[in-house]
Amino acid sequence: MTSSNQQPASGTPAGGIPGGLPPPGRSDLSFIPVVWLLFVMALSVYGLVSAWWLVGNSGLPETVFYFVLGALAFDIITILWGLYLLGLAFGRSAYFPRHFTFWQIAIIVFLLARQAYVLAVPEFVFSARSLAIAAAEIGIGLFCIYLLRREAGSADVYTAQQAQAPSVFASIVAALLGIILGAVVGAVAGFALGAGIAEVTDISCFEGGCGYFAVFIGLTGLVVGAIAGGILAVWLVHRRRRKAAI
């Protein structure tokens, strides 16, 4: 004799509805942490590209120099750690919610430490805009952690399917190769596009203006290509592995 709340004859899971869909009133928001992860990684790539030249600037005060150096180091850590999380997310690993939470807490701690440093060091000028942006990043991060809490339905999407999904190491290697190839292709295509636009629109080359414009478009193409290449590489690896398993 079976319990009435299990409903084996109808195929309805306990606490759910037919087909394993979320209960009424609960929307599937599991994609939001992954989208936020990609957005933060994109910001880190942009930070590396836009601020790397400051490392060789000898005119910076020591307080500013070490601030920039620390920010660049954290951007690198964020990207590499994010690639690991992407491997877990694409593999539908049950470890993703917990590891994402650790990653997001580290991001929040860094944002708070950065704001405290900027407010404490006199070489920096207070900016309400940067403070509002940091507050928004912290708020979105906390919301993503809330979505992936243990009792939330969104976390149920990430279930262990390691037999079908490739290993996290394979995902990271694929992502790194995709980032490198995408960055090269994006930079070349962006530079060529920038040079073409400068030629068509007759941008002045006085003091290298047209060249700077082409380089700027090339750097934009590098960032976009690196992000798109990494995501595409991880997606292709998981898609082929699942096809082979079927």
Side-chain angles (χ1 to χ4, degrees), residues 63-64 67 115-126:
T63 52
V64 178
F67 174 83
Q115 287 302 316
Y117 186 86
V118 169
L119 294 175
V121 175
E123 281 79 8
F124 292 98
V125 178
F126 172 78

Side-chain angles (χ1 to χ4, degrees), residues 55-136:
V55 176
N57 192 337
S58 59
L60 289 176
E62 286 191 1
T63 52
V64 178
F65 174 77
Y66 289 122
F67 174 83
V68 172
L69 198 62
L72 291 176
F74 194 81
D75 284 337
I76 295 174
I77 294 173
T78 299
I79 295 169
L80 295 178
W81 198 349
L83 290 175
Y84 171 74
L85 292 175
L86 277 182
L88 294 179
F90 277 91
R92 290 292 189 267
S93 172
Y95 294 107
F96 175 75
R98 184 177 62 180
H99 286 260
F100 177 88
T101 300
F102 293 153
W103 173 83
Q104 185 60 71
I105 290 175
I107 297 291
I108 292 175
V109 170
F110 172 76
L111 290 175
L112 292 174
R114 185 180 66 182
Q115 287 302 316
Y117 186 86
V118 169
L119 294 175
V121 175
E123 281 79 8
F124 292 98
V125 178
F126 172 78
S127 171
R129 177 176 174 270
S130 63
L131 190 62
I133 292 175

Side-chain angles (χ1 to χ4, degrees), residues 128-171:
R129 177 176 174 270
S130 63
L131 190 62
I133 292 175
E137 291 183 42
I138 293 174
I140 297 174
L142 291 175
F143 177 67
C144 290
I145 293 176
Y146 175 78
L147 288 177
L148 294 178
R149 68 194 189 281
R150 182 170 298 180
E151 64 272 15
S154 300
D156 295 338
V157 175
Y158 302 98
T159 56
Q161 296 179 354
Q162 303 301 330
Q164 294 182 0
S167 65
V168 174
F169 178 76
S171 299

